[in-house]
């Protein structure tokens, strides 16, 4: 059984259609790039999978279950903006995650944050943007989840921070899990992807591996993306 199975997914905001008749099947054991320009439907799709939005129509199953309380226990989600209480100390954020999620490994989180040279007595709001994003990622990747949903994890941070974030993702996710990385920064993540999804106007317009793309088009993922989306 696929870890994520989607059929006929439709979502609109008033008269604006965000997703239209979207279908998708994804297995575990891979890192998948959900790639598209701003406004293509990436964040809407991720929020529906994570039960933060309700679809108007269609079927969504995560490990055979509809999005809800049960699926939140197997999905680790990194939103595209900070949602952590910034007044809290890092050590208290670690404690909060341990209380919320049974699969959270506090020792792993402490080790990752220590490697960053961050004192866990610091308050989150005292961190720089790049360091704050690293801490958020460390908390997400400290879960033993079946599905990791990472919405723009490398957007808005410097190249050194991007390298750290990608290394953290590769070295810390469960190899049987599914990692979905949503981004428009293709070149930075192309080398880590096992599978590629191009999304445009709320529809999946390409679903292939990077090797298939190179064999069939003679282009890399980033080059084909620029051709398809005229950017």
């Amino acid at each position: 059984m696929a870890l994520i199975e989607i059929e006929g997914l439709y979502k609109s905001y008033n008269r604006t259609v965000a997703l239209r008749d979207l279908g998708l099947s994804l297995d575990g054991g891979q890192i998948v790039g959900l790639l598209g320009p701003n406004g293509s439907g990436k964040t809407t799709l991720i929020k529906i999978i994570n039960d933060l939005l309700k679809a108007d129509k269609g079927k969504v199953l995560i490990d055979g279950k509809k999005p809800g309380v049960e699926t939140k226990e197997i999905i680790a989600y990194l939103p595209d903006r900070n949602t952590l209480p910034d007044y809290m100390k890092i050590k208290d954020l670690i404690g909060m995650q341990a209380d919320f999620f049974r699969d959270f490994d506090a020792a792993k989180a402490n080790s990752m944050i220590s490697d960053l040279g961050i004192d866990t007595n610091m308050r989150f709001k005292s961190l720089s943007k790049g360091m704050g994003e690293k801490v958020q990622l460390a908390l997400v990747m400290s879960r033993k989840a079946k599905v990791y949903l990472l919405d723009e994890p490398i957007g808005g941070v410097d190249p050194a921070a991007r390298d750290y974030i990608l290394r953290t993702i590769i070295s810390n996710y469960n190899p049987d899990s599914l990692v979905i990385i949503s981004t428009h920064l293709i070149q930075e993540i192309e080398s880590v992807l096992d599978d590629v999804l191009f999304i445009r106007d709320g529809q999946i317009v390409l679903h292939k591996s990077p090797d298939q793309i190179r064999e069939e088009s003679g282009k890399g993922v980033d080059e084909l993306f620029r051709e398809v989306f005229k950017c």
Side-chain angles (χ1 to χ4, degrees):
M1 178 190 295
L3 261 181
I4 291 182
E5 195 75 46
I6 298 173
E7 294 177 9
L9 193 62
Y10 183 92
K11 176 66 180 178
S12 66
Y13 303 99
N14 297 320
R15 295 183 179 180
T16 302
V17 177
L19 300 174
R20 63 178 82 233
D21 196 29
L22 186 144
L24 184 59
S25 180
L26 294 172
D27 297 322
Q30 59 178 341
I31 298 177
V32 178
L34 178 61
L35 313 178
N38 292 334
S40 57
K42 301 189 301 293
T43 294
T44 297
L45 176 58
I46 283 177
K47 285 185 175 180
I48 289 174
I49 293 171
N50 200 40
D51 196 38
L52 295 173
L53 283 175
K54 297 295 184 185
D56 299 326
K57 290 187 292 187
K59 181 177 82 171
V60 179
L61 295 176
I62 296 95
D63 201 24
K65 305 175 185 68
K66 293 180 179 180
V69 174
E70 283 186 281
T71 60
K72 285 184 184 294
E73 292 186 357
I74 62 172
I75 292 176
Y77 171 54
L78 179 71
D80 60 348
R81 63 198 66 191
N82 176 49
T83 57
L84 297 173
D86 64 0
Y87 62 86
M88 291 182 71
K89 293 181 178 180
I90 309 301
K91 65 180 182 182
D92 296 327
L93 290 173
I94 292 172
M96 182 177 73
Q97 295 293 306
D99 289 341
F100 274 26
F101 302 110
R102 287 182 292 182
D103 63 359
F104 184 78
D105 186 338
K108 184 175 184 180
N110 274 298
S111 175
M112 292 171 70
I113 289 170
S114 174
D115 288 344
L116 290 169
I118 294 174
D119 183 346
T120 57
N121 284 305
M122 293 175 67
R123 297 189 186 277
F124 187 81
K125 64 182 177 183
S126 69
L127 302 177
S128 67
K129 176 178 173 60
M131 204 57 87
E133 297 209 358
K134 291 176 183 177
V135 167
Q136 290 179 77
L137 182 69
L139 295 176
V140 170
M141 300 310 296
S142 293
R143 288 186 57 194
K144 299 181 179 72
K146 287 189 176 182
V147 178
Y148 296 86
L149 301 175
L150 312 178
D151 195 357
E152 295 288 354
I154 58 173
V157 296
D158 60 73
R162 290 176 191 168
D163 289 344
Y164 172 84
I165 287 168
L166 291 175
R167 286 198 309 273
T168 300
I169 293 168
I170 295 165
S171 58
N172 288 282
Y173 88 101
N174 181 332
D176 296 322
S177 299
L178 170 65
V179 180
I180 299 177
I181 304 176
S182 164
T183 187
H184 59 280
L185 299 171
I186 318 302
Q187 198 167 14
E188 282 81 353
I189 71 161
E190 181 172 344
S191 63
V192 309
L193 299 179
D194 301 304
D195 210 5
V196 173
L197 303 169
F198 284 1
I199 184 169
R200 177 169 58 192
D201 298 329
Q203 293 181 306
I204 302 296
V205 296
L206 179 144
H207 182 184
K208 294 180 180 178
S209 72
D211 287 343
Q212 284 178 300
I213 289 172
R214 283 188 284 270
E215 288 170 8
E216 294 173 10
S217 69
K219 299 177 174 68
V221 176
D222 184 60
E223 187 180 358
L224 183 63
F225 181 90
R226 293 174 185 275
E227 181 179 292
V228 170
F229 294 99
K230 310 298 184 191
C231 55

